[in-house]
Structures are given as structure tokens and as C-alpha cells.
Amino acid sequence: MFKNTAKVKKLKKRRTWIFLKATDFNSLMHPCFFICWLLGNFPYKYEPPEYSLCKSRFAFSTSMMFIYVLSLLAVVYEINITRTLDYGIPRMIYVNLFYFLDGTVILVMYVLTVARLSVIQNLSKISSILSAKDFKDLAKVIHTKDILGFLFLVGHVPNCFQHDISLTLRNFYCMYIMMVNFSIDMLYMNCVCVLKACLTKIDECIQQMKKLASNDDVWTQTFIHHGSPNILVMKLKNFEKKHLEISDIIELVNNTFMIHIIIVTIIRDDDLGM
């Protein structure tokens, strides 16, 4: 009986995910995390109130990376050694850049598994300052962006099938690279959106405190005169602490996704040049 009661309490703690609605960080990021897990890029589990590394998911992620590296070597060998594909020099350079640079991003993000976990954990904690309305507003943007973007890529999967099995496999490999890079972009953009919302929330609270201080200046001075702790000052110190925490998270996010951002910039420049 006690075991059943404990299970019921545990289930109640787990909040169900609803499209375009979010009540906390986990429900807000659910589509993003699910897509990342589907692609073998999310070796974490959520056990309220925090995220942790999951052995089974990490094994799945490692297996996907092993297959990915073998496929990358096979494709590079086919392009540069056997030269079964009739590519000109400019096209060959572009294809090599695509595989090497995008391939590097995926491998680097796998190596930064612990760093990504730290980003997610810190964002989950700092997002507690957001209200239910803030999460709901964010969900409308993040859920729509993530799901529509992923469905757009999935819609191109039938185009991967060709008359040649080798070409079909290569197309699926390229599609996987694009999907994983999309999931990394998606995670980075979601982190930025959450951080922006947190900074906006702090700014709104400070503005409200300014109005309170100006409208009730006599009460504030009396409060200080009697030697009681100044609530406004205490709140300001708390907001300052939160702001410093957000600044640290911003630095962590930038350091974690720096290589990805640089490589994406290089690839886009190459696309414009082509």
C-alpha cells in the first residue's frame, strides 16, 4: 500500500507535456530534448528536480557516434580515394568541407556531453524565476519553432531514396548530419530564449521596485529610520546575485557552443560563395 502511494506521488511530481503549453523548464524544452534523444544526441534523464547523465542513453549516444564516424570515414574515402563520384575541384572542396566541418561539430558536441549537461542544469535552476505566464509565452515560440523545423527536415526524407543504394545511403547520412546540426542549433537558440526571458524578468522586477520606492518613499525612509532591514535593498541584492548567475550561464553557453557557431558561420560563407 505504501509502495503504491509512493508511486502515485512520484507520478504527480512528473508534469505531463502539452503542446504550446509549459509549466517549467522540462516541459518547455521537451520537444527539443526528445528530438535530440531521437538522434542520439541527448544522453541525459530528468529526475525532478534536476538532470543527470543516463547510462543507457549515453551508451546509445556512443553507439550512434561510432556508426557516424565509420560512415564518415567511408564517405570521405569514397570521395577522395576511389573517386566514384564525378565531382569537379570546387564541388569536391565544398563536399569535403561539409563533411569535415559538420562532422567536427557533431563529434565536439559529443565530447562536450558534460558541459552540455551543466548548461541544462544551470538553465533549469535559473529559470525558476520565471512565472507560469512566461513559460507559456516561451512555449508558443519554442515548441512551434522546434516541431515545425524538425517536420520540415523529415519531409525531405523521401527525397533521399535513389535508384542506387550507395547514393541512397549517402543521402541518408547527409540528412542525419543536417538533423543533428539542426538539433544543436535548436538547443542553442532555446538556451538563448530562456536566458533572455530571465534577464527580462529581472529587469521588470527592478522597474517595479523603482516605482514602489518612488511611490512610497516616506514609508521606506521610516522603515530604514527604525533600524529594520531594508526589504528593497535585500531584493536588489538578490536580483544582483541572479544577474551574476545568468552572466555565468551565458559564458558557459558561449563556451560550449563556440565551435558550433564558428563552423556554422564558415559553412554559410561557403554557401554564399558557391
Side-chain angles (χ1 to χ4, degrees), residues 117-181:
L117 176 60
S118 180
V119 169
I120 293 170
Q121 288 174 336
N122 283 281
L123 277 175
S124 179
K125 292 177 182 177
I126 199 65
S127 64
S128 60
I129 67 175
L130 300 177
S131 64
K133 183 180 181 302
D134 295 327
F135 278 115
K136 187 176 180 180
D137 293 339
L138 280 172
K140 292 177 181 178
V141 177
I142 290 177
H143 289 180
T144 303
K145 169 183 65 66
D146 294 350
I147 294 175
L148 290 182
F150 183 68
L151 290 178
F152 174 78
L153 289 176
V154 171
H156 286 278
V157 170
N159 297 329
C160 295
F161 292 97
Q162 300 294 330
H163 61 280
D164 184 11
I165 184 65
S166 177
L167 184 58
T168 300
L169 292 175
R170 196 182 308 114
N171 288 341
F172 272 106
Y173 181 68
C174 291
M175 179 60 67
Y176 176 77
I177 291 177
M178 287 188 287
M179 283 185 171
V180 173
N181 277 275

Side-chain angles (χ1 to χ4, degrees), residues 205-220 230-232 235:
C205 292
I206 292 175
Q207 294 300 326
Q208 290 177 0
M209 288 177 60
K210 285 182 178 179
K211 291 180 180 179
L212 178 63
S214 60
N215 294 336
D216 203 7
D217 188 61
V218 176
W219 177 86
T220 304
N230 192 342
I231 297 177
L232 294 179
K235 285 186 176 181

Side-chain angles (χ1 to χ4, degrees), residues 256-272:
T256 303
F257 291 92
M258 182 182 298
I259 295 177
H260 172 66
I261 296 170
I262 293 172
I263 291 179
V264 166
T265 304
I266 294 172
I267 292 174
R268 285 179 179 174
D269 288 341
D270 288 339
D271 288 339
L272 292 174

